[in-house]
Amino acid sequence: MRKLVAAMAVAVGMAVPLTAVAMANDSAVVQASSINDMAKQNSYGGITYLDQMLQQQGIKYNDFYASNPLNYRYGKPEGVVVHETATPGASAYNEAIYFNREWMNIYSYVHAFVDKTGVIQMTSPDHGVWGAGPVANSRFFQVELCEDNNLADFAKSINNDAIYIAQIMRQYNLAPVNAVHTGKGTVWSHAAVSKFLGGTDHGDPDGYFAKWGYSMDDFFDLIKYYYDNGSTGSTTPTPSKPATPPKPKPTTPKPTQQPKPIDTKLLMHNALVYDGNGEKTKQSTKKAGTKLSVYGTKTIKGKKYFQIGTDQYVVATNIEGSLQLLTHNAYIYDGNGERVGTGKFKRGSYVRTYGGRVKIYGRKYYIIDEDQYIKVGNFK
Ligand SMILES: [Zn+2]
């Protein structure tokens, strides 16, 4: 994919790609097999889960799966598509932040980004993503390798990539079979998808691999090595965590105890404060954009609330929103009712809206993000 903002490439200047070419030429004597040997010298960088990473940084996780529940045709992945970002200078972190923010505008998303330091998993491989056209998207999990500019870092990055892919393939009982030459198998490149399955025309990662004298066949060998050995091949224990860590159970605080918040949540819509019977309190309205300590959830008269203090509750949709089906293509507006950019959501897709409708200069909108609104009429 070549979707990362051009600004990123401009920001780092052209020095990086030139360096990459120069380094590749210098290292042309390095045989691909020894690149795999170099790779195996490195310890695995492990997996960082995007939702957890963003929560720590106070950035909203735009849940791709919640908005686009794309099921595989057989209910589980049939293999992997190997991608390369074609964006020199962009780390897995850069890509993750960008795709979290922009997938709804660029119609593009993958399961993970990998670089020399490790893996950032964007969403669970249990469901499909938008990486390589409709045929592949409904069959494979998809992983993007980030570009590096020297051979040692390239070796580290493919090592992380191969270990991560091998682990996921073991999870789903997918024995590695190279599909690149035949169009049959479990390990695909984006180029092979373009050639055999269609619906897309990218050729990655072949060109980037070739810069290093490396190929998909070599990378297949590395994946198979880790699949067969069932280990990370490193002396460092894998700092991997379960994909969905158990969430602390909501606690109902005893009146004698100072309750402990279980989470901090960003309020997306102004919220009245209710008591435990669902009656309005005299507390002032909590403003959108406020971070609230949350002590658990409670259903009052069939409606879900978050507890934000002793006998204080706000309606949950003000925080977590709900998915609504768009019946028209919809533009995005800011708090002044001005169009934001040229991006639009497509009719037939689901958009998460927060709280009740709001009025801007007499027109009715739903809140979809901080200072982002869609007209109510697009949902009717
Ligand atoms: Zn690709």
Side-chain angles (χ1 to χ4, degrees):
M1 288 188 289
R2 295 172 183 269
K3 303 276 184 167
L4 194 65
V5 263
M8 179 74 72
V10 172
V12 298
M14 289 308 291
V16 174
L18 288 175
T19 310
V21 171
M23 293 298 297
N25 289 342
D26 288 348
S27 57
V29 288
V30 177
Q31 297 295 309
S33 60
S34 61
I35 294 181
N36 279 350
D37 290 340
M38 276 178 71
K40 291 172 194 169
Q41 301 302 310
N42 296 288
S43 57
Y44 182 40
I47 306 175
T48 300
Y49 297 93
L50 181 67
D51 53 346
Q52 295 173 2
M53 182 185 96
L54 294 181
Q55 192 178 29
Q56 282 167 8
Q57 301 183 8
I59 299 171
K60 183 167 164 252
Y61 177 59
N62 292 315
D63 192 337
F64 176 85
Y65 166 67
S67 299
N68 306 285
L70 201 167
N71 293 318
Y72 298 114
R73 62 173 182 169
Y74 299 141
K76 70 175 207 117
E78 295 166 52
V80 61
V81 179
V82 176
H83 295 268
E84 174 274 313
T85 62
T87 312
S91 65
Y93 177 84
N94 297 146
E95 299 279 3
I97 293 289
Y98 174 76
F99 276 82
N100 177 64
R101 198 182 66 224
E102 298 292 337
W103 61 255
M104 63 298 284
N105 299 318
I106 59 178
Y107 302 102
S108 181
Y109 207 72
V110 291
H111 290 103
F113 287 96
V114 181
D115 67 12
K116 61 178 183 280
T117 61
V119 179
I120 299 179
Q121 183 170 297
M122 308 290 287
T123 187
S124 162
D126 279 349
H127 299 275
V129 288
W130 294 342
V135 180
N137 292 348
S138 69
R139 296 185 188 184
F140 308 121
F141 75 95
Q142 307 192 39
V143 182
E144 288 269 358
L145 180 69
C146 297
E147 291 204 354
D148 265 297
N149 60 14
N150 67 79
L151 186 64
D153 287 344
F154 173 72
K156 282 183 197 170
S157 71
I158 54 169
N159 191 58
N160 287 332
D161 206 13
I163 292 172
Y164 175 70
I165 290 169
Q167 282 183 346
I168 304 286
M169 292 185 77
R170 289 171 67 87
Q171 252 175 37
Y172 292 99
N173 281 318
L174 297 165
V177 176
N178 190 346
V180 165
H181 305 289
T182 60
K184 290 190 170 58
T186 51
V187 177
W188 293 71
S189 60
H190 194 165
V193 172
S194 300
K195 186 174 169 190
F196 295 109
L197 301 179
T200 178
D201 60 2
H202 292 199
D204 57 293
D206 295 5
Y208 175 63
F209 277 2
K211 279 187 189 175
W212 303 105
Y214 198 67
S215 72
M216 264 308 289
D217 291 337
D218 300 316
F219 189 56
F220 173 81
D221 290 344
L222 194 58
I223 293 171
K224 188 160 176 3
Y225 168 80
Y226 283 116
Y227 184 92
D228 291 343
N229 285 283
S231 89
T232 63
S234 75
T235 49
T236 316
T238 311
S240 68
K241 291 171 272 178
T244 326
K247 290 229 163 65
K249 282 214 179 78
T251 52
T252 313
K254 295 187 184 75
T256 49
Q257 263 181 311
Q258 188 63 22
K260 269 197 191 135
I262 56 164
D263 208 349
T264 304
K265 300 267 191 193
L266 180 65
L267 190 60
M268 300 297 293
H269 187 288
N270 290 349
L272 296 171
V273 180
Y274 295 86
D275 66 19
N277 299 316
E279 305 289 337
K280 277 177 209 164
T281 68
K282 291 193 170 120
Q283 293 273 326
S284 57
T285 300
K286 301 287 178 191
K287 294 284 179 203
T290 309
K291 282 187 183 161
L292 297 174
S293 295
V294 167
Y295 300 87
T297 61
K298 179 176 170 135
T299 304
I300 306 170
K301 294 172 191 164
K303 210 177 210 179
K304 183 178 171 189
Y305 290 78
F306 282 107
Q307 182 172 6
I308 60 161
T310 307
D311 206 33
Q312 293 178 23
Y313 300 85
V314 295
V315 177
T317 178
N318 293 313
I319 287 172
E320 59 187 14
S322 58
L323 292 175
Q324 292 205 68
L325 180 65
L326 276 176
T327 52
H328 303 272
N329 290 342
Y331 290 113
I332 304 163
Y333 296 85
D334 65 17
N336 297 317
E338 309 264 1
R339 281 252 304 271
V340 178
T342 54
K344 66 181 167 191
F345 286 94
K346 293 265 193 229
R347 181 167 58 119
S349 59
Y350 283 86
V351 174
R352 188 171 293 276
T353 68
Y354 298 88
R357 31 189 82 171
V358 295
K359 270 191 181 172
I360 302 170
Y361 295 121
R363 287 171 184 267
K364 289 177 190 158
Y365 296 81
Y366 281 112
I367 297 175
I368 60 156
D369 204 341
E370 285 182 88
D371 203 37
Q372 291 192 9
Y373 304 81
I374 286 180
K375 285 182 181 161
V376 167
N378 291 318
F379 294 98
K380 286 179 185 164

